Amino acid sequence: MNKGSVDRDRAKLFLVVSVLATFGLYMIPYGRYVAYPLMLLSTLAHEMGHGIAALLTGNDFDKFEMWSDGSGLAYWRGNPGRFARAFISAGGLVGPAFASAFCFVLARRAKVARVTMGLVALALVASMVLVVRNLFGFMFVGTLATLFLALAAKAKPWAAQLSLLFLGTQLALSVFSRSDYLFTDVAQMASGPMPSDVATMAEQLFLPYWFWGGVCALVSLLIM
């Protein structure tokens, strides 16, 4: 059996372990407190999805903030048309699914997973310098970057592979566990209520907000 086959078989086993461990967190006493940082991870992927979508449409990604209640906000600047505005809104909604797929694909080989952890850590450090602009966001992203750097530098390749698959599993499950946001026209933020992403899409593209929520849910499933 070649090394690639061993890596892929181990990845399949680690994926099953990650799923079981995730469900276990919600069944054991105080497990939800352990799962709290994993919820914040999906917020990070969501808001970065908005920022990346803004950059892809030729706009500026000014800053990113997140708060302890799991809400976040990406600030972008530009004068896009209505289709680009809708694309930027959708970028956050499908962001966790894209990040999950990224983790699953690159975790197929242990050594690639280890390098990936290092590159993601460097990307997080760059985001701290360029766009993260509030204390809680800075602390969370900084902690995540430190953890990923440690895994890349010190952990065995198989441990990095397991970690990347675990992260991918959390992001994949967040698509479903936080799917209620796809079907509401109001987002409850730390700063107060504001129009949700699907409400913004409906305003720019017509059709009801729940229609665009369904579209984004389907796209997320297809990605994963």
Side-chain angles (χ1 to χ4, degrees):
M1 184 178 294
N2 61 46
K3 185 64 167 59
S5 297
V6 172
D7 273 358
R8 285 191 293 273
D9 289 343
R10 185 167 53 201
K12 293 176 183 177
L13 173 62
F14 285 170
L15 179 59
V16 174
V17 171
S18 297
V19 173
L20 293 176
T22 300
F23 284 116
L25 287 176
Y26 291 93
M27 297 177 66
I28 62 174
Y30 306 107
R32 290 182 181 272
Y33 295 101
V34 180
Y36 170 68
L38 303 175
M39 181 267 290
L40 297 177
L41 184 68
S42 69
T43 299
L44 177 62
H46 178 104
E47 300 305 334
M48 287 301 175
H50 285 312
I52 292 171
L55 293 173
L56 289 175
T57 52
N59 298 282
D60 296 318
F61 181 15
D62 282 342
K63 64 178 182 177
F64 156 68
E65 296 177 346
M66 64 184 301
W67 297 278
S68 59
D69 64 354
S71 62
L73 198 58
Y75 297 81
W76 57 272
R77 175 168 43 87
N79 189 30
R82 57 193 181 95
F83 290 105
R85 288 180 181 273
F87 180 78
I88 294 170
S89 294
L93 298 173
V94 301
F98 268 107
S100 173
F102 172 84
C103 291
F104 288 146
V105 169
L106 294 177
R108 293 173 66 186
R109 291 183 178 273
K111 290 184 178 180
V112 174
R114 185 174 181 177
V115 172
T116 300
M117 296 297 279
L119 293 175
V120 172
L122 293 177
L124 290 172
V125 171
S127 72
M128 292 170 65
V129 174
L130 297 172
V131 294
V132 179
R133 291 295 179 268
N134 75 319
L135 180 60
F136 184 83
F138 197 84
M139 291 173 59
F140 177 72
V141 176
T143 301
L144 208 58
T146 302
L147 176 62
F148 286 5
L149 278 174
L151 285 168
K154 301 294 186 181
K156 298 290 185 181
W158 66 264
Q161 185 181 31
L162 173 59
S163 300
L164 195 59
L165 280 168
F166 184 72
L167 291 173
T169 302
Q170 306 316 307
L171 290 165
L173 293 177
S174 75
V175 173
F176 305 100
S177 64
R178 306 184 77 178
S179 61
D180 56 329
Y181 181 67
L182 294 171
F183 301 99
T184 180
D185 58 344
V186 177
Q188 297 297 332
M189 311 294 293
S191 56
M194 61 182 297
S196 68
D197 292 325
V198 287
T200 300
M201 294 179 69
E203 180 183 357
Q204 300 300 323
L205 301 179
F206 311 110
L207 298 177
Y209 67 86
W210 51 262
F211 173 83
W212 296 112
V215 169
C216 289
L218 179 60
V219 170
S220 293
L221 288 173
L222 291 174
I223 291 168
M224 292 188 296

